[in-house]
Amino acid sequence: MSAQTETPNSRTIRIDPVTRIEGHAKVFVNLAEDGSLDNAGLVVNELRGFEKILVGMEANRMPHITARICGVCPTAHHIAASNALDHACGVVAPPAAMLLRELMYMGHIIHSHALSLFVLQGPDLVLGLDADPAIRNVVGIVQANPEVAKKALRIRTVGQRLNEIVGGRGTHPVTSVAGGITFVLDSEKRAMLQSLVDEGKQLAKDLAPVVKQLVVTMLEKHPAMLTDWVAPSWSVGTVLDNRVSLIQGNIRAVDENGITQVEFPVQDYDKYMVESVVDFSYMKRVSFKRDGLLHDYRVGPLARINAMQQFSTEWANREMEEMLKLGGYPCHITLFQAYAKLVEMIWAIERADDILRDPAVNGETRVPVKFQGGRAVGHSEAPRGTLIHDYEIDEDGIVRAANLIVATQQNYAIINRSIEHAATSHVIGKTDDQALLNAIEFSIRCYDPCLSCATHAVGAMPMEISINRGGRTVKTIRR
């Protein structure tokens, strides 16, 4: 705590360091006159406007330019843009190219989920929500359990190296283009990739029991998370052959009871996904429209499991079944976002192994393309959820309009509900600012929000919570 001031109606507390959330934002908590919670939510207060930046650029540069939106999930944008360009050119990338795109993406999923589980959420899970923020970080994890920390950071590296070898670069890949992939897999790259996958399998076997126990321990320490931190909603994700898919397939939406309501190709997304501007944030909210009604919905690892209930590999399916036995189906428990990431990380490692053993990965990887003007729509399942790229391209191959629907926008309503759950348990009748900050931050981290994607802004994210009562600010807490 670096500063504190008090007046009869206000108090300000400033706390360092910044939080472990990507982007800039603050939180508001509105109380009624009797002190009960009225509402709460996330305010994203920076804007860069990437959709406007893309206008006037050559369409064939989209896989490379859009990857710069974010340093955390560049591969998701890289693949979504490539799929959109394939659609614009009326081509289907060769089977070998799709397998290599998917292999690159499995590396991305491993890297991103490991980062979230062990670096961003990990300190909360390992050290507890009541731990001092000065030690509740990755350094604290290393000090608390050096062996687990070493393996956690190594599996993250394994994922990044898979992404780098196939994608040409680790942070902003370059090999996926309109019509396919720019190289053919050779024996040297295959051997390197197989070695990494084999290492990843062993690391996952060592780390899986640790993550599951951390989730169980968190529930034991905070049993209210099983009952009060629950946000029933629709779930949306990509399906192929009735299984979870990340870079191709239709989009499926199931309701809060797990019943499929609609399944559609991504080109029809604007018939169902409705963006709306809110007056308190630069991030637009997205609702799901069905039969004239608008529904809140979630995307991401937990939503994909709710929507599909099936992976293409045995170990991941076993882990998913174990998860649903504990969390129920469909699962709406905020904490189980972490468990779902573990299941997907296991699947990504298994799937990478399957791809390397598939003879089809050895074929031709690119077909000729020509931009003739028109609409380009493609998507991928980013680690955080469904990501859609939509461009209008003229006959000269120039982008004339662009729209991006990202995961954090789609999770906005559910994030706000989770903030309300955390605030209810730590505001009413309580004055512990530290506990309030910890609880709200943790509830947001469960969704691994990427605010650079959502508003196309960059930077670190200081947390600010404004508590309002009867229309006036009574407390502002900063970290």
Side-chain angles (χ1 to χ4, degrees):
M1 186 180 300
S2 58
Q4 176 174 309
T5 61
E6 292 191 41
T7 68
N9 292 320
S10 67
R11 183 158 65 100
T12 299
I13 303 171
R14 292 179 176 83
I15 303 174
D16 284 324
V18 298
T19 65
R20 285 169 277 115
I21 306 172
E22 200 285 321
H24 286 73
K26 64 180 180 180
V27 170
F28 66 84
V29 177
N30 291 329
L31 304 179
E33 285 290 0
D34 63 1
S36 62
L37 181 70
D38 189 3
N39 55 57
L42 181 69
V43 180
V44 181
N45 48 25
E46 291 228 357
L47 174 68
R48 187 158 53 124
F50 219 93
E51 291 167 335
K52 300 300 292 185
I53 293 174
L54 299 179
V55 174
M57 290 188 175
E58 298 92 339
N60 59 11
R61 298 180 64 193
M62 289 302 98
H64 306 138
I65 297 298
T66 59
R68 268 68 180 177
I69 291 172
C70 179
V72 178
C73 48
T75 307
H77 289 284
H78 187 58
I79 298 299
S82 301
N83 285 338
L85 296 187
D86 288 352
H87 172 244
C89 298
V91 302
V92 176
M98 293 306 296
L99 286 171
L100 287 171
R101 284 179 181 176
E102 189 178 5
L103 180 59
M104 182 199 313
Y105 212 78
M106 293 302 108
H108 176 52
I109 288 290
I110 296 165
H111 167 262
S112 183
H113 283 353
L115 173 67
S116 178
L117 280 172
F118 301 114
V119 179
L120 302 179
Q121 268 190 289
D124 301 317
L125 295 171
V126 172
L127 303 171
L129 295 184
D130 54 353
D132 185 343
I135 65 167
R136 197 158 45 91
N137 49 46
V138 69
V139 176
I141 291 181
V142 172
Q143 293 172 341
N145 197 323
E147 282 305 307
V148 168
K150 186 185 301 183
K151 291 177 180 179
L153 294 175
R154 180 57 192 169
I155 200 169
R156 176 177 175 269
T157 299
V158 165
Q160 185 72 334
R161 283 288 292 144
L162 290 171
N163 187 82
E164 180 180 0
I165 292 170
V166 182
R169 294 180 60 178
T171 302
H172 298 120
V174 295
T175 58
S176 186
V177 296
I181 288 281
T182 58
F183 73 95
V184 175
L185 187 64
D186 59 32
S187 58
E188 182 180 359
K189 278 191 174 69
R190 182 195 301 278
M192 294 169 62
L193 291 164
Q194 189 65 60
S195 176
L196 287 165
V197 168
D198 292 344
E199 182 184 2
K201 276 187 177 180
Q202 186 56 56
L203 289 167
K205 288 177 181 177
D206 294 341
L207 290 169
V210 175
V211 175
K212 290 188 286 186
Q213 184 57 50
L214 289 173
V215 170
V216 170
T217 300
M218 180 68 80
L219 291 174
E220 291 173 347
K221 289 183 177 179
H222 305 278
M225 287 186 175
L226 275 173
T227 55
D228 299 341
W229 290 43
V230 180
S233 70
W234 284 33
S235 294
V236 171
T238 300
V239 57
L240 182 67
D241 298 330
N242 212 37
R243 297 168 176 167
V244 174
S245 179
L246 298 183
I247 69 167
Q248 57 182 323
N250 288 331
I251 295 175
R252 176 184 290 177
V254 303
D255 64 21
E256 58 272 9
N257 297 312
I259 299 171
T260 298
Q261 292 296 321
V262 65
E263 187 175 313
F264 56 92
V266 66
Q267 288 77 22
D268 291 339
Y269 81 91
D270 51 356
K271 296 179 181 177
Y272 302 98
M273 297 174 174
V274 180
E275 287 187 283
S276 59
V277 175
V278 294
D279 58 8
F280 57 83
S281 176
Y282 280 119
M283 182 165 68
K284 290 184 287 186
R285 169 177 170 161
V286 185
S287 302
F288 200 92
K289 183 173 69 174
R290 180 66 170 163
D291 296 330
L293 300 176
L294 295 179
H295 303 270
D296 292 342
Y297 71 102
R298 72 173 79 240
V299 294
L302 186 58
R304 290 189 281 257
I305 286 176
N306 283 342
M308 267 61 76
Q309 300 181 70
Q310 188 174 9
F311 291 92
S312 60
T313 60
E314 293 183 3
W315 183 15
N317 280 327
R318 289 198 305 271
E319 294 293 349
M320 178 190 65
E321 290 171 2
E322 187 175 333
M323 184 197 96
L324 295 178
K325 285 179 182 178
L326 182 61
Y329 175 80
C331 184
H332 302 298
I333 302 169
T334 301
L335 175 62
F336 277 69
Q337 295 276 9
Y339 206 142
K341 289 170 194 169
L342 171 66
V343 175
E344 282 199 341
M345 187 170 68
I346 290 169
W347 169 60
I349 294 169
E350 288 185 291
R351 179 60 187 148
D353 192 28
D354 289 346
I355 291 170
L356 286 171
R357 299 176 190 277
D358 189 336
V361 79
N362 300 313
E364 291 298 319
T365 58
R366 195 171 181 181
V367 296
V369 299
K370 182 179 180 181
F371 295 105
Q372 299 175 339
R375 194 178 181 204
V377 184
H379 80 302
S380 66
E381 284 290 329
R384 294 151 188 81
T386 311
L387 167 67
I388 300 170
H389 282 212
D390 185 355
Y391 317 130
E392 287 290 341
I393 302 173
D394 68 18
E395 62 276 7
D396 296 320
I398 302 299
V399 174
R400 293 305 176 191
N403 189 38
L404 309 177
I405 306 289
V406 305
T408 302
Q409 287 178 267
Q410 297 170 80
N411 280 328
Y412 202 4
I414 308 304
I415 291 173
N416 288 344
R417 282 162 60 184
S418 294
I419 291 171
E420 290 179 356
H421 297 156
T424 298
S425 61
H426 288 83
V427 173
I428 301 172
K430 300 179 181 180
T431 59
D432 188 342
D433 297 324
Q434 191 68 60
L436 173 63
L437 275 164
N438 293 350
I440 288 180
E441 285 185 338
F442 179 73
S443 72
I444 297 171
R445 280 192 206 108
C446 286
Y447 297 91
D448 200 15
C450 186
L451 306 181
S452 291
C453 287
T455 65
H456 321 304
V458 293
M461 178 183 166
M463 171 66 75
E464 178 180 290
I465 299 176
S466 175
I467 301 177
N468 309 299
R469 185 169 182 172
R472 67 182 185 279
T473 300
V474 298
K475 183 185 296 183
T476 301
I477 310 168
R478 297 186 179 93
R479 173 175 291 160

